[in-house]
């Protein structure tokens, strides 16, 4: 289940991609399938080992085109182990709401991104997330849980402040908002509640079968109750120095 829309976020074979806070690896796997040179990074060693296993399985099955590469590694989002301007593309999906120093993470992403490179950032959307917080303290008051709720204009302002130029936004996963409201209402750890179980079956069916009816319904509902807010931005090229300015340096 992808949150980044690759029709709005073009990816070329050979692009060097950082999936920052990759989690289970869903976006990293898609980039690998599209021929990118992918680095999937997360602080969770267990998840990174699982992602590495899947990368190996994808290579064995021939799911990635020739020239594509994939590496999974542990790392700290606030101290990325890469030189400046290392990546053409950076993806950070459902991560920034967990990190106290979100400006520091943005600064690190900008540092490792090449001029002209692209960033995709996804976070829980303000409205649906506010409902979850109101229904359940356990939803967010856990170690490593959500520590803030972003308003769209607040996130875009931070993106601009970091030196990036936003070029598009949208919402995603409207069908998942009611599921999380049910989870919060019946207990986030209570997967046996009948409404939660029934809705989960619906989501699994939708993900596996991709029926037209639910695709159309979600597209219609995304502007209203989409669970995620997605922003795309570029890192501007620095203006060229005139001969006089270059000589002065």
């Amino acid at each position: 289940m992808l949150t980044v829309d690759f029709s709005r976020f073009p990816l070329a074979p050979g692009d060097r991609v950082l999936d920052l806070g990759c989690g289970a690896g869903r976006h990293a796997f898609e980039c690998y399938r599209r021929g990118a040179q992918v680095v999937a990074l997360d602080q969770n060693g267990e998840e990174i080992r699982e992602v590495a296993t899947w990368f190996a399985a994808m290579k064995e099955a021939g799911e990635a085109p020739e020239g594509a590469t994939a590496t999974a590694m542990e790392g700290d989002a606030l101290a990325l182990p890469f030189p400046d301007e290392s990546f053409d593309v950076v993806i950070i999906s459902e991560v920034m709401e967990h990190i106290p120093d979100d400006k520091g993470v943005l600064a690190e992403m900008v540092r490792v991104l090449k001029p002209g490179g692209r960033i995709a950032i996804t976070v829980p959307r303000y409205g649906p997330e506010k409902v979850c917080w109101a229904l359940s303290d356990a939803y967010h008051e856990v170690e490593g849980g959500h520590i803030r709720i972003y308003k769209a204009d607040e996130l875009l302002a931070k993106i601009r402040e970091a030196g990036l130029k936003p070029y598009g936004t949208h919402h995603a996963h409207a069908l998942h908002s009611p599921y999380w409201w049910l989870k919060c209402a019946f207990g986030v750890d209570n997967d046996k509640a009948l409404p939660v179980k029934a809705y989960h079956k619906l989501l699994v069916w939708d993900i596996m079968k991709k029926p037209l009816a639910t695709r159309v319904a979600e597209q219609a509902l995304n502007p209203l109750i989409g669970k995620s807010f997605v922003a795309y931005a570029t890192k501007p090229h620095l203006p060229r120095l005139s001969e006089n300015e270059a000589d002065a340096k």
Side-chain angles (χ1 to χ4, degrees):
M1 183 187 73
L2 299 174
T3 307
V4 172
D5 181 351
F6 286 93
S7 69
R8 308 178 195 225
F9 190 66
L11 191 69
D15 275 352
R16 186 161 166 79
V17 178
L18 173 63
D19 185 1
L20 181 55
C22 64
R26 57 201 172 105
H27 289 106
F29 299 149
E30 181 64 20
C31 294
Y32 189 31
R33 290 188 187 99
R34 290 171 178 261
Q37 298 175 6
V38 184
V39 176
L41 184 143
D42 200 285
Q43 67 177 1
N44 186 316
E46 185 176 337
E47 287 197 309
I48 283 298
R49 286 187 288 275
E50 185 70 14
V51 169
T53 299
W54 278 105
F55 278 152
M58 290 172 68
K59 182 177 181 179
E60 181 70 21
E63 289 189 37
E66 187 176 350
T69 62
T71 302
M73 61 185 295
E74 289 185 59
D76 182 354
L78 290 164
L80 295 174
F82 311 111
D84 296 355
E85 301 179 7
S86 298
F87 294 94
D88 303 290
V89 172
V90 177
I91 296 172
I92 184 166
S93 183
E94 311 299 304
V95 173
M96 287 180 57
E97 67 276 8
H98 296 272
I99 300 177
D101 186 8
D102 57 348
K103 290 185 178 181
V105 173
L106 275 167
E108 273 293 87
M109 290 192 293
V110 171
R111 180 183 68 78
V112 302
L113 187 66
K114 297 176 182 178
R118 303 173 303 286
I119 281 183
I121 298 172
T122 91
V123 297
R125 184 184 184 177
Y126 183 83
E129 185 77 348
K130 198 76 173 175
V131 173
C132 289
W133 282 46
L135 289 172
S136 171
D137 290 337
Y139 171 79
H140 62 96
E141 290 182 356
V142 295
E143 185 178 355
H146 298 184
I147 62 170
R148 70 173 65 83
I149 307 176
Y150 286 102
K151 291 184 177 179
D153 57 357
E154 174 196 357
L155 179 60
L156 291 171
K158 289 186 176 184
I159 289 171
R160 292 187 182 97
E161 184 182 342
L164 298 167
K165 184 178 180 181
Y167 70 83
T169 65
H170 64 89
H171 301 100
H173 308 319
L175 295 182
H176 288 250
S177 289
Y179 172 71
W180 281 102
W181 297 339
L182 288 170
K183 287 268 288 181
C184 290
F186 286 92
V188 290
D189 295 320
N190 181 13
D191 293 328
K192 295 182 179 180
L194 184 59
V196 175
K197 287 175 66 176
Y199 203 100
H200 185 262
K201 285 184 179 180
L202 170 66
L203 290 180
V204 171
W205 172 76
D206 175 58
I207 291 169
M208 298 300 294
K209 300 297 185 180
K210 297 181 174 63
L212 179 61
T214 55
R215 295 300 88 217
V216 171
E218 184 157 76
Q219 285 295 107
L221 289 171
N222 274 337
L224 301 173
I225 59 168
K227 183 75 169 66
S228 294
F229 174 71
V230 188
Y232 305 106
T234 59
K235 179 178 177 177
H237 289 276
L238 292 174
R240 293 193 176 199
L241 297 176
S242 69
E243 289 185 10
N244 290 338
E245 288 172 324
D247 289 342
K249 284 186 171 291

